[in-house]
Amino acid sequence: MLKKLFIFLMVLVAIFVGALAWLVFAVDPNQYKPQLQDMAAKQGIKLELAGDIGWQFWPSIGLQVSDVSIAPNVRPLDKIVQAEQLSVGVALMPLLQKKIHVADLALHKPTITLTVDEQGRGNWEAFSQLAAVQQSAPLGGRGRSVRQTASANGLDLAVDQVSISDGTLSYSNAQDKSSLELRELDLVADSIQLGGDPGALDLSAQLHSSTLKAPVDLELEGTVGLDKALRGLRLQPLTLRAGSGDASATVNLRGNVQRKAEHGPWQLQVSVDGSFKELKDWLKLTGTELETRDPSAMQRLTLNTELRGDTDKMQLEPLQLQLDDFKLTGLAEVDNTPAVPNLTLRLQGEDLVVDGYLPPQQEGEEESAAAAPVAAPAALLPLGSLRGFTADLQLTLNRLQALDLTIEQPRVAVTANNGLVTLKELGGGLFGGKFETTGKLDAREELALVEFTGGLLGVKLDEVQGTYAPSDKFKLGGNADIKWQGRTGGVTDKDLQEQLEVNASLGSADMTMAPINVERGLCELVAYVERGTGGQSTEQAPAAEGTEAGTGPKQWPAETRLQNLQARIHFLDNIAKVSGIQAGVENLTLTGDGKVDLNAQNFDFALGLSVQGEATSEDGCSIKNPRWRNRILPLRCAASFDAVSATTCKPDTRRLDDLIRDEAEHKLRKKYGDKIDEKKEELKDKLKGLFKR
């Protein structure tokens, strides 16, 4: 029995081989070349088969032809596909009936060229236009389908699989001058038919671009469906993987992309789930070297969103972004339908620590910078990029920490209108209080103009000083309200810094300065003048060395408490000029002006103090001479931030001359009356001796 079965199988094989041999010798596939080219021409395709069509027997029975090219009929010289070899696998049973059923189609070493012209038209669109015509044409006559036309000529082009091996795909866009190239392209599209069920897609390639420092390996796999007119694409799902060195990315896409009209916008409804790792390496690929203070910063980025709309108006909602451990949620919308495109962005975030993303601070960097500051080159402001669009951006966070600043619940709202950027709101909790700022940036001309106004309410002065002018010897305390108006302008970032001008007002009900004591300075001033003119107008007045006359050392408080302080501040070139100072210090009234130089880290104030009553305070000094009451007495407070002491505020010798002369003359007139003229020489000698001291 087995012997008969074996003989039967051998007979079948012999019949099959004989039939196949007869078919190979009896059927010349080149006879189909004109039909194939004519059929392609009727579909608007210029098909060139320069080589002979021959049989292939491995890996499957089929046909192969070398030197193949494809171009649109309307542009026959614009070859979109050129391949060294085209292989067509055929089904065996139709082949025995002298019919060709294309089971698979393979391109070896093809070059695929895709271009977009200045009007935004792709060179491949002619194929989709013709596919739409074939889809809408009636059956029979000139409107017969590709498959019907082929079948009438003994051909069946129902392709089960399309593959590409060792191919190259180049893309260029004349609108944005971009270009890229896929090399070592391998692709297998299994059971992907126009209008049919989705089929499997598997692609691998190497991406090269002039904007990349190294190639990027790409892998694409998933299930894809195409509509008959090549105007629809179903992703169920599609996964893209990319990598270069340690940098890697994975993007999962699921949804639909379709185009209802021939030149209409593409409609999108796609869910996007992306993950990017080693962001520093991705930036390095584009030529940007980035080092951060925190080595773990910029390690990963994830994106989750639903993309809906079309290429004219697109919305991403909900939008979820996560950079390392920092999360943002919200929505984004891009509208290209108006004459000026519009961008809308609404985002809410958690705690953001910016310090970790700043450049690393080198050891000894602060000291070397202070000893020999090196100015960074001025960078041009990107004014052109602020024009040509409108925008409405809003961002709120739970907490923002940057450069030793901690802002609670920061919020920002910005609108842009073709170069005019308006800061509608910038606020949050800062220095124990609240701040609010509004402003605008006008970038419509070649020179940028910036104006802003705002204020800090209820801020703690010790926190402000600790951030901008830290010192172990000079301390500010209390709360204050600061309001400001400012402006600047220029074409570089250095211009903005150098031309920054701010006018501010300061108000505080309980400001303290330590270790300065201006009351002590006043008492020393009165005692100094009285001793110089031969009088005594203070009781228990401390001497310059800090002792009280006749009572031993007096311990002055190592601070000054300013009551209801008011002042105006003008800030320019890192120098704050303070004017219109008004405050109370115990029973004293304080006025004056001065400046704080943040560049040199010092201050210099010329103050005027007047005593309202018979004593400077309950524990201060008594003013016996009524001529010293309600009279402005000059005091000077000047020092560097690191050299402040209890004696920083001293009598202002620059303004004492007139005061001493006036007091000496008063006492002489009181003593000598009309004989004062006879004592002029004596007074002159006395004053000379005083000034020598």
Side-chain angles (χ1 to χ4, degrees), residues 30-245:
N30 285 285
Q31 65 181 315
Y32 295 109
K33 183 185 293 187
Q35 298 173 8
L36 288 170
Q37 292 175 326
D38 181 62
M39 182 182 63
K42 291 178 180 179
Q43 309 306 313
I45 299 173
K46 175 65 174 177
L47 174 63
E48 292 186 5
L49 304 173
D52 289 335
I53 302 177
W55 293 102
Q56 71 171 16
F57 300 98
W58 183 262
S60 62
I61 297 175
L63 306 171
Q64 67 179 19
V65 60
S66 59
D67 197 2
V68 179
S69 65
I70 297 174
N73 265 347
V74 293
R75 295 189 302 273
L77 298 180
D78 186 8
K79 297 180 179 180
I80 295 180
V81 179
Q82 291 179 282
E84 287 188 6
Q85 188 178 80
L86 169 65
S87 300
V88 180
V90 296
L92 179 59
M93 294 308 294
L95 188 62
L96 295 176
Q97 302 172 9
K98 294 188 178 183
K99 291 184 179 181
I100 299 178
H101 180 111
V102 179
D104 58 80
L105 187 148
L107 290 172
H108 180 60
K109 288 190 176 180
T111 298
I112 304 170
T113 304
L114 304 178
T115 61
V116 177
D117 60 22
E118 294 181 351
Q119 287 70 42
R121 294 189 298 262
N123 62 344
W124 64 88
E125 290 188 5
F127 298 146
S128 62
Q129 295 168 9
L130 290 164
V133 172
Q134 291 296 328
Q135 181 187 22
S136 61
L139 296 177
R142 296 182 179 179
R144 289 183 297 173
S145 68
V146 175
R147 183 161 183 161
Q148 288 172 321
T149 304
S151 298
N153 292 278
L155 300 175
D156 190 342
L157 295 181
V159 182
D160 295 329
Q161 186 183 84
V162 176
S163 63
I164 294 175
S165 61
D166 198 13
T168 300
L169 184 150
S170 61
Y171 170 85
S172 61
N173 191 321
Q175 288 186 313
D176 57 15
K177 310 301 181 185
S178 62
S179 64
L180 58 86
E181 188 174 72
L182 295 180
R183 302 176 188 173
E184 301 178 21
L185 173 63
D186 294 323
L187 178 144
V188 177
D190 194 3
S191 300
I192 298 179
Q193 300 179 13
L194 299 182
D197 294 332
L201 177 68
D202 192 351
L203 178 149
S204 64
Q206 199 174 73
L207 173 64
H208 293 255
S209 173
S210 59
T211 61
L212 298 176
K213 299 297 182 181
V216 176
D217 295 324
L218 299 178
E219 292 183 4
L220 189 66
E221 63 177 355
T223 305
V224 178
L226 298 171
D227 75 357
K228 291 183 179 180
L230 293 177
R231 291 182 184 166
L233 180 66
R234 286 172 287 170
L235 312 175
Q236 297 182 307
L238 193 67
T239 299
L240 170 65
R241 298 183 181 89
S244 181

Side-chain angles (χ1 to χ4, degrees), residues 160-337:
D160 295 329
Q161 186 183 84
V162 176
S163 63
I164 294 175
S165 61
D166 198 13
T168 300
L169 184 150
S170 61
Y171 170 85
S172 61
N173 191 321
Q175 288 186 313
D176 57 15
K177 310 301 181 185
S178 62
S179 64
L180 58 86
E181 188 174 72
L182 295 180
R183 302 176 188 173
E184 301 178 21
L185 173 63
D186 294 323
L187 178 144
V188 177
D190 194 3
S191 300
I192 298 179
Q193 300 179 13
L194 299 182
D197 294 332
L201 177 68
D202 192 351
L203 178 149
S204 64
Q206 199 174 73
L207 173 64
H208 293 255
S209 173
S210 59
T211 61
L212 298 176
K213 299 297 182 181
V216 176
D217 295 324
L218 299 178
E219 292 183 4
L220 189 66
E221 63 177 355
T223 305
V224 178
L226 298 171
D227 75 357
K228 291 183 179 180
L230 293 177
R231 291 182 184 166
L233 180 66
R234 286 172 287 170
L235 312 175
Q236 297 182 307
L238 193 67
T239 299
L240 170 65
R241 298 183 181 89
S244 181
D246 293 331
S248 63
T250 301
V251 180
N252 298 306
L253 305 172
R254 181 186 292 272
N256 299 286
V257 180
Q258 61 181 348
R259 194 176 196 177
K260 295 181 178 179
E262 181 178 333
H263 296 291
W266 287 95
Q267 306 286 331
L268 300 98
Q269 187 170 358
V270 180
S271 63
V272 182
D273 182 4
S275 175
F276 304 84
K277 296 181 180 180
E278 300 300 336
L279 300 181
K280 295 177 185 176
D281 291 330
W282 280 116
L283 291 174
K284 190 181 296 183
L285 280 173
T286 64
T288 301
E289 296 282 347
L290 179 64
E291 297 293 334
T292 57
R293 293 186 184 180
D294 184 356
S296 64
M298 299 289 290
Q299 283 195 345
R300 66 186 185 279
L301 172 68
T302 59
L303 165 67
N304 295 277
T305 189
E306 293 288 335
L307 196 157
R308 292 185 295 271
D310 54 44
T311 49
D312 288 336
K313 188 173 183 179
M314 192 179 304
Q315 187 178 61
L316 286 76
E317 184 183 12
L319 174 61
Q320 297 179 342
L321 292 166
Q322 181 171 344
L323 176 61
D324 297 325
D325 295 327
F326 173 61
K327 297 180 180 179
L328 281 171
T329 59
L331 65 89
E333 184 177 288
V334 179
D335 189 354
N336 292 315
T337 55

